[in-house]
Amino acid sequence: MGLIKKLLVGFLVLLIIGIAGIFGMQYYYNTFYEKVPVEVKTETVSGDVFYLSHVLEPGKYYINASSTGTVEKITILDEKGGNVLTESETDSMIYGSSKAFQVRVDYKSPANVDSYTVSVGIYRLVRK
């Protein structure tokens, strides 16, 4: 019984450290980096749509998507647009790469609505 208790406590400690690390990283980038707009767009659309950015140069970026519908996911693709490098099911993320990449944002329309608004903002993070 003592071993299970130690494993459970160890798991919870690691979980708390991970959550603190994520919030600490967000605070660090928001405090010490300036957000330079690369692509900021808002459109009124109908149906399920997606946004695909142009090829972005290597560096650190803050990606923020919003919608009156649902932001399903943000996907980072390699520069040729074929291979998925990472995905996030949140509406914002920080991504850094030493290679060029593209951003794809998938939106889902709300039920019983003809048109809705989607927006995306891609900002390059530059040290202050």
Side-chain angles (χ1 to χ4, degrees), residues 1-28:
M1 190 68 170
L3 180 63
I4 293 174
K5 191 175 186 180
K6 287 180 184 179
L7 287 174
L8 184 61
V9 169
F11 174 75
L12 291 175
V13 168
L14 287 175
L15 184 66
I16 291 169
I17 289 171
I19 292 171
I22 290 170
F23 285 111
M25 187 176 75
Q26 290 284 352
Y27 174 78
Y28 173 76

mmCIF file with all atom_site columns, all heavy atoms in Angstrom, residues 1-28:
data_model
loop_
_atom_site.group_PDB
_atom_site.id
_atom_site.type_symbol
_atom_site.label_atom_id
_atom_site.label_alt_id
_atom_site.label_comp_id
_atom_site.label_asym_id
_atom_site.label_entity_id
_atom_site.label_seq_id
_atom_site.pdbx_PDB_ins_code
_atom_site.Cartn_x
_atom_site.Cartn_y
_atom_site.Cartn_z
_atom_site.occupancy
_atom_site.B_iso_or_equiv
_atom_site.pdbx_formal_charge
_atom_site.auth_seq_id
_atom_site.auth_comp_id
_atom_site.auth_asym_id
_atom_site.auth_atom_id
_atom_site.pdbx_PDB_model_num
ATOM 1   N N   . MET A 1 1  ? 0.826  -1.194 0.000   1.00 0.00 ? 1  MET A N   1
ATOM 2   C CA  . MET A 1 1  ? 0.000  0.000  0.000   1.00 0.00 ? 1  MET A CA  1
ATOM 3   C C   . MET A 1 1  ? 0.864  1.248  0.000   1.00 0.00 ? 1  MET A C   1
ATOM 4   O O   . MET A 1 1  ? 0.498  2.249  -0.586  1.00 0.00 ? 1  MET A O   1
ATOM 5   C CB  . MET A 1 1  ? -0.919 -0.044 1.226   1.00 0.00 ? 1  MET A CB  1
ATOM 6   C CG  . MET A 1 1  ? -1.971 1.006  1.217   1.00 0.00 ? 1  MET A CG  1
ATOM 7   S SD  . MET A 1 1  ? -3.135 0.656  -0.115  1.00 0.00 ? 1  MET A SD  1
ATOM 8   C CE  . MET A 1 1  ? -4.379 1.810  0.279   1.00 0.00 ? 1  MET A CE  1
ATOM 9   N N   . GLY A 1 2  ? 2.030  1.202  0.638   1.00 0.00 ? 2  GLY A N   1
ATOM 10  C CA  . GLY A 1 2  ? 2.905  2.364  0.706   1.00 0.00 ? 2  GLY A CA  1
ATOM 11  C C   . GLY A 1 2  ? 3.469  2.742  -0.654  1.00 0.00 ? 2  GLY A C   1
ATOM 12  O O   . GLY A 1 2  ? 3.659  3.916  -0.956  1.00 0.00 ? 2  GLY A O   1
ATOM 13  N N   . LEU A 1 3  ? 3.759  1.753  -1.515  1.00 0.00 ? 3  LEU A N   1
ATOM 14  C CA  . LEU A 1 3  ? 4.309  2.022  -2.830  1.00 0.00 ? 3  LEU A CA  1
ATOM 15  C C   . LEU A 1 3  ? 3.294  2.729  -3.730  1.00 0.00 ? 3  LEU A C   1
ATOM 16  O O   . LEU A 1 3  ? 3.632  3.681  -4.425  1.00 0.00 ? 3  LEU A O   1
ATOM 17  C CB  . LEU A 1 3  ? 4.773  0.715  -3.483  1.00 0.00 ? 3  LEU A CB  1
ATOM 18  C CG  . LEU A 1 3  ? 5.374  0.845  -4.886  1.00 0.00 ? 3  LEU A CG  1
ATOM 19  C CD1 . LEU A 1 3  ? 6.635  1.690  -4.836  1.00 0.00 ? 3  LEU A CD1 1
ATOM 20  C CD2 . LEU A 1 3  ? 5.659  -0.518 -5.461  1.00 0.00 ? 3  LEU A CD2 1
ATOM 21  N N   . ILE A 1 4  ? 2.048  2.306  -3.685  1.00 0.00 ? 4  ILE A N   1
ATOM 22  C CA  . ILE A 1 4  ? 1.006  2.940  -4.485  1.00 0.00 ? 4  ILE A CA  1
ATOM 23  C C   . ILE A 1 4  ? 0.808  4.393  -4.043  1.00 0.00 ? 4  ILE A C   1
ATOM 24  O O   . ILE A 1 4  ? 0.644  5.287  -4.872  1.00 0.00 ? 4  ILE A O   1
ATOM 25  C CB  . ILE A 1 4  ? -0.309 2.140  -4.393  1.00 0.00 ? 4  ILE A CB  1
ATOM 26  C CG1 . ILE A 1 4  ? -0.132 0.780  -5.064  1.00 0.00 ? 4  ILE A CG1 1
ATOM 27  C CG2 . ILE A 1 4  ? -1.461 2.906  -5.025  1.00 0.00 ? 4  ILE A CG2 1
ATOM 28  C CD1 . ILE A 1 4  ? -1.299 -0.145 -4.925  1.00 0.00 ? 4  ILE A CD1 1
ATOM 29  N N   . LYS A 1 5  ? 0.854  4.618  -2.757  1.00 0.00 ? 5  LYS A N   1
ATOM 30  C CA  . LYS A 1 5  ? 0.688  5.971  -2.223  1.00 0.00 ? 5  LYS A CA  1
ATOM 31  C C   . LYS A 1 5  ? 1.838  6.869  -2.690  1.00 0.00 ? 5  LYS A C   1
ATOM 32  O O   . LYS A 1 5  ? 1.624  8.010  -3.106  1.00 0.00 ? 5  LYS A O   1
ATOM 33  C CB  . LYS A 1 5  ? 0.632  5.916  -0.697  1.00 0.00 ? 5  LYS A CB  1
ATOM 34  C CG  . LYS A 1 5  ? 0.221  7.186  -0.040  1.00 0.00 ? 5  LYS A CG  1
ATOM 35  C CD  . LYS A 1 5  ? 0.072  6.974  1.463   1.00 0.00 ? 5  LYS A CD  1
ATOM 36  C CE  . LYS A 1 5  ? -0.483 8.184  2.142   1.00 0.00 ? 5  LYS A CE  1
ATOM 37  N NZ  . LYS A 1 5  ? -0.635 7.972  3.582   1.00 0.00 ? 5  LYS A NZ  1
ATOM 38  N N   . LYS A 1 6  ? 3.073  6.365  -2.674  1.00 0.00 ? 6  LYS A N   1
ATOM 39  C CA  . LYS A 1 6  ? 4.228  7.145  -3.129  1.00 0.00 ? 6  LYS A CA  1
ATOM 40  C C   . LYS A 1 6  ? 4.136  7.446  -4.620  1.00 0.00 ? 6  LYS A C   1
ATOM 41  O O   . LYS A 1 6  ? 4.458  8.549  -5.060  1.00 0.00 ? 6  LYS A O   1
ATOM 42  C CB  . LYS A 1 6  ? 5.525  6.396  -2.822  1.00 0.00 ? 6  LYS A CB  1
ATOM 43  C CG  . LYS A 1 6  ? 5.900  6.385  -1.375  1.00 0.00 ? 6  LYS A CG  1
ATOM 44  C CD  . LYS A 1 6  ? 7.186  5.621  -1.146  1.00 0.00 ? 6  LYS A CD  1
ATOM 45  C CE  . LYS A 1 6  ? 7.502  5.530  0.331   1.00 0.00 ? 6  LYS A CE  1
ATOM 46  N NZ  . LYS A 1 6  ? 8.737  4.770  0.568   1.00 0.00 ? 6  LYS A NZ  1
ATOM 47  N N   . LEU A 1 7  ? 3.716  6.467  -5.404  1.00 0.00 ? 7  LEU A N   1
ATOM 48  C CA  . LEU A 1 7  ? 3.565  6.685  -6.836  1.00 0.00 ? 7  LEU A CA  1
ATOM 49  C C   . LEU A 1 7  ? 2.488  7.735  -7.144  1.00 0.00 ? 7  LEU A C   1
ATOM 50  O O   . LEU A 1 7  ? 2.665  8.586  -8.010  1.00 0.00 ? 7  LEU A O   1
ATOM 51  C CB  . LEU A 1 7  ? 3.226  5.376  -7.542  1.00 0.00 ? 7  LEU A CB  1
ATOM 52  C CG  . LEU A 1 7  ? 4.366  4.363  -7.669  1.00 0.00 ? 7  LEU A CG  1
ATOM 53  C CD1 . LEU A 1 7  ? 3.836  3.060  -8.252  1.00 0.00 ? 7  LEU A CD1 1
ATOM 54  C CD2 . LEU A 1 7  ? 5.470  4.925  -8.532  1.00 0.00 ? 7  LEU A CD2 1
ATOM 55  N N   . LEU A 1 8  ? 1.375  7.681  -6.422  1.00 0.00 ? 8  LEU A N   1
ATOM 56  C CA  . LEU A 1 8  ? 0.304  8.646  -6.612  1.00 0.00 ? 8  LEU A CA  1
ATOM 57  C C   . LEU A 1 8  ? 0.755  10.057 -6.242  1.00 0.00 ? 8  LEU A C   1
ATOM 58  O O   . LEU A 1 8  ? 0.513  11.014 -6.986  1.00 0.00 ? 8  LEU A O   1
ATOM 59  C CB  . LEU A 1 8  ? -0.929 8.238  -5.805  1.00 0.00 ? 8  LEU A CB  1
ATOM 60  C CG  . LEU A 1 8  ? -2.160 9.110  -5.981  1.00 0.00 ? 8  LEU A CG  1
ATOM 61  C CD1 . LEU A 1 8  ? -2.619 9.091  -7.433  1.00 0.00 ? 8  LEU A CD1 1
ATOM 62  C CD2 . LEU A 1 8  ? -3.280 8.644  -5.076  1.00 0.00 ? 8  LEU A CD2 1
ATOM 63  N N   . VAL A 1 9  ? 1.432  10.197 -5.123  1.00 0.00 ? 9  VAL A N   1
ATOM 64  C CA  . VAL A 1 9  ? 1.939  11.502 -4.689  1.00 0.00 ? 9  VAL A CA  1
ATOM 65  C C   . VAL A 1 9  ? 2.979  12.015 -5.687  1.00 0.00 ? 9  VAL A C   1
ATOM 66  O O   . VAL A 1 9  ? 2.971  13.191 -6.068  1.00 0.00 ? 9  VAL A O   1
ATOM 67  C CB  . VAL A 1 9  ? 2.521  11.428 -3.257  1.00 0.00 ? 9  VAL A CB  1
ATOM 68  C CG1 . VAL A 1 9  ? 3.280  12.696 -2.899  1.00 0.00 ? 9  VAL A CG1 1
ATOM 69  C CG2 . VAL A 1 9  ? 1.407  11.170 -2.254  1.00 0.00 ? 9  VAL A CG2 1
ATOM 70  N N   . GLY A 1 10 ? 3.860  11.157 -6.159  1.00 0.00 ? 10 GLY A N   1
ATOM 71  C CA  . GLY A 1 10 ? 4.857  11.550 -7.154  1.00 0.00 ? 10 GLY A CA  1
ATOM 72  C C   . GLY A 1 10 ? 4.219  12.023 -8.450  1.00 0.00 ? 10 GLY A C   1
ATOM 73  O O   . GLY A 1 10 ? 4.637  13.018 -9.043  1.00 0.00 ? 10 GLY A O   1
ATOM 74  N N   . PHE A 1 11 ? 3.192  11.314 -8.900  1.00 0.00 ? 11 PHE A N   1
ATOM 75  C CA  . PHE A 1 11 ? 2.467  11.708 -10.103 1.00 0.00 ? 11 PHE A CA  1
ATOM 76  C C   . PHE A 1 11 ? 1.821  13.080 -9.931  1.00 0.00 ? 11 PHE A C   1
ATOM 77  O O   . PHE A 1 11 ? 1.901  13.929 -10.821 1.00 0.00 ? 11 PHE A O   1
ATOM 78  C CB  . PHE A 1 11 ? 1.413  10.663 -10.448 1.00 0.00 ? 11 PHE A CB  1
ATOM 79  C CG  . PHE A 1 11 ? 0.529  11.058 -11.593 1.00 0.00 ? 11 PHE A CG  1
ATOM 80  C CD1 . PHE A 1 11 ? 1.003  11.019 -12.887 1.00 0.00 ? 11 PHE A CD1 1
ATOM 81  C CD2 . PHE A 1 11 ? -0.775 11.483 -11.362 1.00 0.00 ? 11 PHE A CD2 1
ATOM 82  C CE1 . PHE A 1 11 ? 0.201  11.391 -13.953 1.00 0.00 ? 11 PHE A CE1 1
ATOM 83  C CE2 . PHE A 1 11 ? -1.575 11.866 -12.414 1.00 0.00 ? 11 PHE A CE2 1
ATOM 84  C CZ  . PHE A 1 11 ? -1.097 11.821 -13.712 1.00 0.00 ? 11 PHE A CZ  1
ATOM 85  N N   . LEU A 1 12 ? 1.172  13.308 -8.802  1.00 0.00 ? 12 LEU A N   1
ATOM 86  C CA  . LEU A 1 12 ? 0.523  14.599 -8.552  1.00 0.00 ? 12 LEU A CA  1
ATOM 87  C C   . LEU A 1 12 ? 1.545  15.733 -8.486  1.00 0.00 ? 12 LEU A C   1
ATOM 88  O O   . LEU A 1 12 ? 1.293  16.823 -9.001  1.00 0.00 ? 12 LEU A O   1
ATOM 89  C CB  . LEU A 1 12 ? -0.311 14.539 -7.273  1.00 0.00 ? 12 LEU A CB  1
ATOM 90  C CG  . LEU A 1 12 ? -1.551 13.656 -7.335  1.00 0.00 ? 12 LEU A CG  1
ATOM 91  C CD1 . LEU A 1 12 ? -2.229 13.580 -5.974  1.00 0.00 ? 12 LEU A CD1 1
ATOM 92  C CD2 . LEU A 1 12 ? -2.520 14.160 -8.394  1.00 0.00 ? 12 LEU A CD2 1
ATOM 93  N N   . VAL A 1 13 ? 2.699  15.488 -7.892  1.00 0.00 ? 13 VAL A N   1
ATOM 94  C CA  . VAL A 1 13 ? 3.750  16.509 -7.826  1.00 0.00 ? 13 VAL A CA  1
ATOM 95  C C   . VAL A 1 13 ? 4.249  16.846 -9.232  1.00 0.00 ? 13 VAL A C   1
ATOM 96  O O   . VAL A 1 13 ? 4.405  18.019 -9.583  1.00 0.00 ? 13 VAL A O   1
ATOM 97  C CB  . VAL A 1 13 ? 4.908  16.051 -6.908  1.00 0.00 ? 13 VAL A CB  1
ATOM 98  C CG1 . VAL A 1 13 ? 6.121  16.955 -7.061  1.00 0.00 ? 13 VAL A CG1 1
ATOM 99  C CG2 . VAL A 1 13 ? 4.455  16.003 -5.462  1.00 0.00 ? 13 VAL A CG2 1
ATOM 100 N N   . LEU A 1 14 ? 4.478  15.830 -10.051 1.00 0.00 ? 14 LEU A N   1
ATOM 101 C CA  . LEU A 1 14 ? 4.908  16.073 -11.432 1.00 0.00 ? 14 LEU A CA  1
ATOM 102 C C   . LEU A 1 14 ? 3.841  16.825 -12.227 1.00 0.00 ? 14 LEU A C   1
ATOM 103 O O   . LEU A 1 14 ? 4.164  17.705 -13.042 1.00 0.00 ? 14 LEU A O   1
ATOM 104 C CB  . LEU A 1 14 ? 5.253  14.758 -12.125 1.00 0.00 ? 14 LEU A CB  1
ATOM 105 C CG  . LEU A 1 14 ? 6.555  14.105 -11.683 1.00 0.00 ? 14 LEU A CG  1
ATOM 106 C CD1 . LEU A 1 14 ? 6.718  12.754 -12.366 1.00 0.00 ? 14 LEU A CD1 1
ATOM 107 C CD2 . LEU A 1 14 ? 7.737  14.997 -11.988 1.00 0.00 ? 14 LEU A CD2 1
ATOM 108 N N   . LEU A 1 15 ? 2.594  16.509 -12.016 1.00 0.00 ? 15 LEU A N   1
ATOM 109 C CA  . LEU A 1 15 ? 1.498  17.189 -12.689 1.00 0.00 ? 15 LEU A CA  1
ATOM 110 C C   . LEU A 1 15 ? 1.458  18.670 -12.305 1.00 0.00 ? 15 LEU A C   1
ATOM 111 O O   . LEU A 1 15 ? 1.329  19.544 -13.167 1.00 0.00 ? 15 LEU A O   1
ATOM 112 C CB  . LEU A 1 15 ? 0.168  16.512 -12.353 1.00 0.00 ? 15 LEU A CB  1
ATOM 113 C CG  . LEU A 1 15 ? -1.063 17.043 -13.063 1.00 0.00 ? 15 LEU A CG  1
ATOM 114 C CD1 . LEU A 1 15 ? -0.955 16.766 -14.563 1.00 0.00 ? 15 LEU A CD1 1
ATOM 115 C CD2 . LEU A 1 15 ? -2.309 16.388 -12.504 1.00 0.00 ? 15 LEU A CD2 1
ATOM 116 N N   . ILE A 1 16 ? 1.611  18.963 -11.037 1.00 0.00 ? 16 ILE A N   1
ATOM 117 C CA  . ILE A 1 16 ? 1.614  20.357 -10.560 1.00 0.00 ? 16 ILE A CA  1
ATOM 118 C C   . ILE A 1 16 ? 2.818  21.114 -11.113 1.00 0.00 ? 16 ILE A C   1
ATOM 119 O O   . ILE A 1 16 ? 2.691  22.262 -11.549 1.00 0.00 ? 16 ILE A O   1
ATOM 120 C CB  . ILE A 1 16 ? 1.573  20.404 -9.018  1.00 0.00 ? 16 ILE A CB  1
ATOM 121 C CG1 . ILE A 1 16 ? 0.205  19.912 -8.533  1.00 0.00 ? 16 ILE A CG1 1
ATOM 122 C CG2 . ILE A 1 16 ? 1.870  21.802 -8.489  1.00 0.00 ? 16 ILE A CG2 1
ATOM 123 C CD1 . ILE A 1 16 ? 0.116  19.668 -7.053  1.00 0.00 ? 16 ILE A CD1 1
ATOM 124 N N   . ILE A 1 17 ? 3.975  20.488 -11.154 1.00 0.00 ? 17 ILE A N   1
ATOM 125 C CA  . ILE A 1 17 ? 5.176  21.128 -11.710 1.00 0.00 ? 17 ILE A CA  1
ATOM 126 C C   . ILE A 1 17 ? 4.975  21.418 -13.207 1.00 0.00 ? 17 ILE A C   1
ATOM 127 O O   . ILE A 1 17 ? 5.347  22.485 -13.697 1.00 0.00 ? 17 ILE A O   1
ATOM 128 C CB  . ILE A 1 17 ? 6.423  20.258 -11.470 1.00 0.00 ? 17 ILE A CB  1
ATOM 129 C CG1 . ILE A 1 17 ? 6.786  20.269 -9.987  1.00 0.00 ? 17 ILE A CG1 1
ATOM 130 C CG2 . ILE A 1 17 ? 7.607  20.749 -12.295 1.00 0.00 ? 17 ILE A CG2 1
ATOM 131 C CD1 . ILE A 1 17 ? 7.868  19.277 -9.619  1.00 0.00 ? 17 ILE A CD1 1
ATOM 132 N N   . GLY A 1 18 ? 4.366  20.505 -13.939 1.00 0.00 ? 18 GLY A N   1
ATOM 133 C CA  . GLY A 1 18 ? 4.100  20.704 -15.360 1.00 0.00 ? 18 GLY A CA  1
ATOM 134 C C   . GLY A 1 18 ? 3.146  21.857 -15.618 1.00 0.00 ? 18 GLY A C   1
ATOM 135 O O   . GLY A 1 18 ? 3.378  22.688 -16.503 1.00 0.00 ? 18 GLY A O   1
ATOM 136 N N   . ILE A 1 19 ? 2.078  21.928 -14.837 1.00 0.00 ? 19 ILE A N   1
ATOM 137 C CA  . ILE A 1 19 ? 1.115  23.026 -14.985 1.00 0.00 ? 19 ILE A CA  1
ATOM 138 C C   . ILE A 1 19 ? 1.772  24.360 -14.653 1.00 0.00 ? 19 ILE A C   1
ATOM 139 O O   . ILE A 1 19 ? 1.585  25.355 -15.359 1.00 0.00 ? 19 ILE A O   1
ATOM 140 C CB  . ILE A 1 19 ? -0.132 22.767 -14.110 1.00 0.00 ? 19 ILE A CB  1
ATOM 141 C CG1 . ILE A 1 19 ? -0.914 21.573 -14.677 1.00 0.00 ? 19 ILE A CG1 1
ATOM 142 C CG2 . ILE A 1 19 ? -1.013 24.006 -14.034 1.00 0.00 ? 19 ILE A CG2 1
ATOM 143 C CD1 . ILE A 1 19 ? -2.034 21.090 -13.786 1.00 0.00 ? 19 ILE A CD1 1
ATOM 144 N N   . ALA A 1 20 ? 2.563  24.399 -13.592 1.00 0.00 ? 20 ALA A N   1
ATOM 145 C CA  . ALA A 1 20 ? 3.277  25.632 -13.232 1.00 0.00 ? 20 ALA A CA  1
ATOM 146 C C   . ALA A 1 20 ? 4.260  26.031 -14.326 1.00 0.00 ? 20 ALA A C   1
ATOM 147 O O   . ALA A 1 20 ? 4.428  27.220 -14.627 1.00 0.00 ? 20 ALA A O   1
ATOM 148 C CB  . ALA A 1 20 ? 4.003  25.446 -11.900 1.00 0.00 ? 20 ALA A CB  1
ATOM 149 N N   . GLY A 1 21 ? 4.904  25.061 -14.945 1.00 0.00 ? 21 GLY A N   1
ATOM 150 C CA  . GLY A 1 21 ? 5.837  25.345 -16.045 1.00 0.00 ? 21 GLY A CA  1
ATOM 151 C C   . GLY A 1 21 ? 5.137  25.959 -17.248 1.00 0.00 ? 21 GLY A C   1
ATOM 152 O O   . GLY A 1 21 ? 5.656  26.886 -17.876 1.00 0.00 ? 21 GLY A O   1
ATOM 153 N N   . ILE A 1 22 ? 3.962  25.460 -17.578 1.00 0.00 ? 22 ILE A N   1
ATOM 154 C CA  . ILE A 1 22 ? 3.209  25.997 -18.716 1.00 0.00 ? 22 ILE A CA  1
ATOM 155 C C   . ILE A 1 22 ? 2.809  27.447 -18.454 1.00 0.00 ? 22 ILE A C   1
ATOM 156 O O   . ILE A 1 22 ? 3.002  28.325 -19.301 1.00 0.00 ? 22 ILE A O   1
ATOM 157 C CB  . ILE A 1 22 ? 1.966  25.123 -19.001 1.00 0.00 ? 22 ILE A CB  1
ATOM 158 C CG1 . ILE A 1 22 ? 2.402  23.781 -19.572 1.00 0.00 ? 22 ILE A CG1 1
ATOM 159 C CG2 . ILE A 1 22 ? 1.006  25.835 -19.952 1.00 0.00 ? 22 ILE A CG2 1
ATOM 160 C CD1 . ILE A 1 22 ? 1.291  22.771 -19.666 1.00 0.00 ? 22 ILE A CD1 1
ATOM 161 N N   . PHE A 1 23 ? 2.259  27.721 -17.274 1.00 0.00 ? 23 PHE A N   1
ATOM 162 C CA  . PHE A 1 23 ? 1.875  29.094 -16.961 1.00 0.00 ? 23 PHE A CA  1
ATOM 163 C C   . PHE A 1 23 ? 3.095  30.002 -16.834 1.00 0.00 ? 23 PHE A C   1
ATOM 164 O O   . PHE A 1 23 ? 3.051  31.165 -17.221 1.00 0.00 ? 23 PHE A O   1
ATOM 165 C CB  . PHE A 1 23 ? 1.021  29.144 -15.687 1.00 0.00 ? 23 PHE A CB  1
ATOM 166 C CG  . PHE A 1 23 ? -0.376 28.665 -15.904 1.00 0.00 ? 23 PHE A CG  1
ATOM 167 C CD1 . PHE A 1 23 ? -0.804 27.475 -15.346 1.00 0.00 ? 23 PHE A CD1 1
ATOM 168 C CD2 . PHE A 1 23 ? -1.262 29.402 -16.684 1.00 0.00 ? 23 PHE A CD2 1
ATOM 169 C CE1 . PHE A 1 23 ? -2.101 27.029 -15.552 1.00 0.00 ? 23 PHE A CE1 1
ATOM 170 C CE2 . PHE A 1 23 ? -2.555 28.958 -16.897 1.00 0.00 ? 23 PHE A CE2 1
ATOM 171 C CZ  . PHE A 1 23 ? -2.980 27.774 -16.327 1.00 0.00 ? 23 PHE A CZ  1
ATOM 172 N N   . GLY A 1 24 ? 4.197  29.477 -16.326 1.00 0.00 ? 24 GLY A N   1
ATOM 173 C CA  . GLY A 1 24 ? 5.426  30.261 -16.231 1.00 0.00 ? 24 GLY A CA  1
ATOM 174 C C   . GLY A 1 24 ? 5.958  30.630 -17.600 1.00 0.00 ? 24 GLY A C   1
ATOM 175 O O   . GLY A 1 24 ? 6.419  31.767 -17.820 1.00 0.00 ? 24 GLY A O   1
ATOM 176 N N   . MET A 1 25 ? 5.891  29.706 -18.550 1.00 0.00 ? 25 MET A N   1
ATOM 177 C CA  . MET A 1 25 ? 6.353  29.992 -19.904 1.00 0.00 ? 25 MET A CA  1
ATOM 178 C C   . MET A 1 25 ? 5.475  31.053 -20.561 1.00 0.00 ? 25 MET A C   1
ATOM 179 O O   . MET A 1 25 ? 5.974  31.971 -21.219 1.00 0.00 ? 25 MET A O   1
ATOM 180 C CB  . MET A 1 25 ? 6.348  28.711 -20.740 1.00 0.00 ? 25 MET A CB  1
ATOM 181 C CG  . MET A 1 25 ? 6.976  28.876 -22.108 1.00 0.00 ? 25 MET A CG  1
ATOM 182 S SD  . MET A 1 25 ? 7.078  27.345 -23.036 1.00 0.00 ? 25 MET A SD  1
ATOM 183 C CE  . MET A 1 25 ? 5.384  27.133 -23.519 1.00 0.00 ? 25 MET A CE  1
ATOM 184 N N   . GLN A 1 26 ? 4.155  30.948 -20.386 1.00 0.00 ? 26 GLN A N   1
ATOM 185 C CA  . GLN A 1 26 ? 3.243  31.956 -20.939 1.00 0.00 ? 26 GLN A CA  1
ATOM 186 C C   . GLN A 1 26 ? 3.556  33.336 -20.359 1.00 0.00 ? 26 GLN A C   1
ATOM 187 O O   . GLN A 1 26 ? 3.619  34.326 -21.090 1.00 0.00 ? 26 GLN A O   1
ATOM 188 C CB  . GLN A 1 26 ? 1.780  31.591 -20.637 1.00 0.00 ? 26 GLN A CB  1
ATOM 189 C CG  . GLN A 1 26 ? 1.270  30.415 -21.377 1.00 0.00 ? 26 GLN A CG  1
ATOM 190 C CD  . GLN A 1 26 ? 0.945  30.714 -22.828 1.00 0.00 ? 26 GLN A CD  1
ATOM 191 O OE1 . GLN A 1 26 ? 0.967  31.841 -23.275 1.00 0.00 ? 26 GLN A OE1 1
ATOM 192 N NE2 . GLN A 1 26 ? 0.649  29.677 -23.582 1.00 0.00 ? 26 GLN A NE2 1
ATOM 193 N N   . TYR A 1 27 ? 3.769  33.404 -19.062 1.00 0.00 ? 27 TYR A N   1
ATOM 194 C CA  . TYR A 1 27 ? 4.095  34.678 -18.413 1.00 0.00 ? 27 TYR A CA  1
ATOM 195 C C   . TYR A 1 27 ? 5.419  35.234 -18.947 1.00 0.00 ? 27 TYR A C   1
ATOM 196 O O   . TYR A 1 27 ? 5.533  36.425 -19.234 1.00 0.00 ? 27 TYR A O   1
ATOM 197 C CB  . TYR A 1 27 ? 4.184  34.490 -16.895 1.00 0.00 ? 27 TYR A CB  1
ATOM 198 C CG  . TYR A 1 27 ? 4.662  35.725 -16.182 1.00 0.00 ? 27 TYR A CG  1
ATOM 199 C CD1 . TYR A 1 27 ? 3.807  36.797 -15.959 1.00 0.00 ? 27 TYR A CD1 1
ATOM 200 C CD2 . TYR A 1 27 ? 5.982  35.836 -15.753 1.00 0.00 ? 27 TYR A CD2 1
ATOM 201 C CE1 . TYR A 1 27 ? 4.253  37.945 -15.326 1.00 0.00 ? 27 TYR A CE1 1
ATOM 202 C CE2 . TYR A 1 27 ? 6.437  36.976 -15.120 1.00 0.00 ? 27 TYR A CE2 1
ATOM 203 C CZ  . TYR A 1 27 ? 5.562  38.025 -14.905 1.00 0.00 ? 27 TYR A CZ  1
ATOM 204 O OH  . TYR A 1 27 ? 6.014  39.155 -14.285 1.00 0.00 ? 27 TYR A OH  1
ATOM 205 N N   . TYR A 1 28 ? 6.416  34.381 -19.118 1.00 0.00 ? 28 TYR A N   1
ATOM 206 C CA  . TYR A 1 28 ? 7.722  34.796 -19.623 1.00 0.00 ? 28 TYR A CA  1
ATOM 207 C C   . TYR A 1 28 ? 7.610  35.416 -21.006 1.00 0.00 ? 28 TYR A C   1
ATOM 208 O O   . TYR A 1 28 ? 8.134  36.492 -21.271 1.00 0.00 ? 28 TYR A O   1
ATOM 209 C CB  . TYR A 1 28 ? 8.673  33.596 -19.652 1.00 0.00 ? 28 TYR A CB  1
ATOM 210 C CG  . TYR A 1 28 ? 9.994  33.874 -20.316 1.00 0.00 ? 28 TYR A CG  1
ATOM 211 C CD1 . TYR A 1 28 ? 10.980 34.599 -19.661 1.00 0.00 ? 28 TYR A CD1 1
ATOM 212 C CD2 . TYR A 1 28 ? 10.249 33.428 -21.606 1.00 0.00 ? 28 TYR A CD2 1
ATOM 213 C CE1 . TYR A 1 28 ? 12.198 34.868 -20.274 1.00 0.00 ? 28 TYR A CE1 1
ATOM 214 C CE2 . TYR A 1 28 ? 11.459 33.684 -22.225 1.00 0.00 ? 28 TYR A CE2 1
ATOM 215 C CZ  . TYR A 1 28 ? 12.428 34.401 -21.550 1.00 0.00 ? 28 TYR A CZ  1
ATOM 216 O OH  . TYR A 1 28 ? 13.618 34.673 -22.172 1.00 0.00 ? 28 TYR A OH  1
#
